[in-house]
Amino acid sequence: CDRDCVHVLSKVLRQSVRTIWHAESALHDVDVVVLPGGFSYGDYLRAGALAAKSPVMEAVRRFAEEGRYVVGVCNGFQILTEAGLLPGALLANLNLHFTCKEVGVRVERNDLPFTRLYPRGQVLRLPIAHGEGRYYADPETLARLEGEGLVVFRYAPLKDEADYNPNGSLHDIAGIVSEKGNVLGMMPHPERAVDEVLGNTDGLPFFLGLVREVAR
């Protein structure tokens, strides 16, 4: 997944990309941090729990506290919750199976760099690939997320599916953002939907909006 993210940013959008090893202690000169999907530390203990303690995460935390943009996709979302940069947790899918397929993802907000190029309410077709993607939070946290408009993406039917929620996430939550609007985590993979050759470009505006924001 890290190579997929590098591909969309460097080859498709022609941006300079630096890959940073988890044991490093500095981010150097970057505009955006992307924590990609994958299986950091083999998902031992809990998905993202060990990676959240990696040395580089202190630099990521400072970066986020400065109001700069951090994106966590799939395992990256899990790492952000384990590190306390986003609320809630990602639990095992209700079906207890690794699930890999395309799902419907509705855009709940389009006033953020990540979503500015989508109409609000648009249902995207994005791939998922996870075994621990069920978003969970206590009732108070859920109420705050909903009340403050911090749910950015929500699972939704592509057609008329009754079982469109692929993992049992509470409130059909597929992605959330921090109160400052600069740290975003999502389980679906926009980086896997950026090329016509793959038959899907629904994820491209996600990255393009972010690139345009930091280039201003």
Side-chain angles (χ1 to χ4, degrees):
C1 301
D2 54 333
R3 295 188 180 187
D4 290 338
C5 289
V6 169
H7 171 76
V8 62
L9 290 167
S10 65
K11 302 299 184 182
V12 179
L13 296 179
R14 305 296 181 184
Q15 301 300 302
S16 175
V17 177
R18 179 196 299 270
T19 55
I20 300 175
W21 190 239
H22 69 96
E24 295 187 47
S25 58
L27 296 176
H28 312 290
D29 184 22
V30 299
D31 298 307
V32 177
V33 170
V34 178
L35 302 180
F39 296 91
S40 57
Y41 293 89
D43 278 354
Y44 293 116
L45 186 60
R46 290 184 309 276
L50 296 177
K53 304 298 182 183
S54 292
V56 76
M57 286 305 296
E58 283 304 314
V60 173
R61 187 185 307 279
R62 292 193 297 271
F63 191 86
E65 289 173 350
E66 292 170 1
R68 305 176 77 181
Y69 294 107
V70 177
V71 174
V73 176
C74 198
N75 192 222
F77 186 12
Q78 294 162 342
I79 293 169
L80 289 175
T81 59
E82 291 286 347
L85 290 173
L86 287 174
L90 283 308
L91 306 182
N93 298 346
L94 278 183
N95 62 14
L96 299 182
H97 291 291
F98 182 86
T99 303
C100 182
K101 63 179 183 178
E102 287 189 331
V103 299
V105 180
R106 187 171 64 243
V107 178
E108 298 289 83
R109 289 180 59 176
N110 67 344
D111 60 339
L112 299 165
F114 325 94
T115 58
R116 195 162 286 145
L117 300 183
Y118 296 113
R120 183 179 178 185
Q122 180 179 353
V123 177
L124 313 176
R125 182 165 53 94
L126 296 178
I128 59 165
H130 58 251
E132 298 180 39
R134 175 165 54 104
Y135 185 79
Y136 176 85
D138 60 69
E140 292 78 12
T141 299
L142 286 171
R144 181 172 64 83
L145 291 174
E146 297 289 3
E148 297 180 13
L150 302 181
V151 178
V152 179
F153 296 110
R154 212 182 296 267
Y155 296 113
L158 281 172
K159 295 180 181 177
D160 297 317
E161 310 102 310
D163 58 346
Y164 58 84
N165 184 326
N167 49 40
S169 287
L170 296 181
H171 293 208
D172 298 330
I173 290 173
I176 62 173
V177 71
S178 63
E179 293 179 2
K180 290 182 179 179
N182 65 307
V183 180
L184 180 137
M186 60 188 299
M187 287 308 297
H189 288 268
E191 79 281 5
R192 296 187 183 182
V194 298
D195 201 318
E196 289 286 1
V197 75
L198 299 177
N200 187 355
T201 58
D202 282 3
L204 188 57
F206 176 89
F207 293 100
L208 183 57
L210 188 56
V211 166
R212 288 181 179 177
E213 174 69 18
V214 298
R216 291 199 305 175

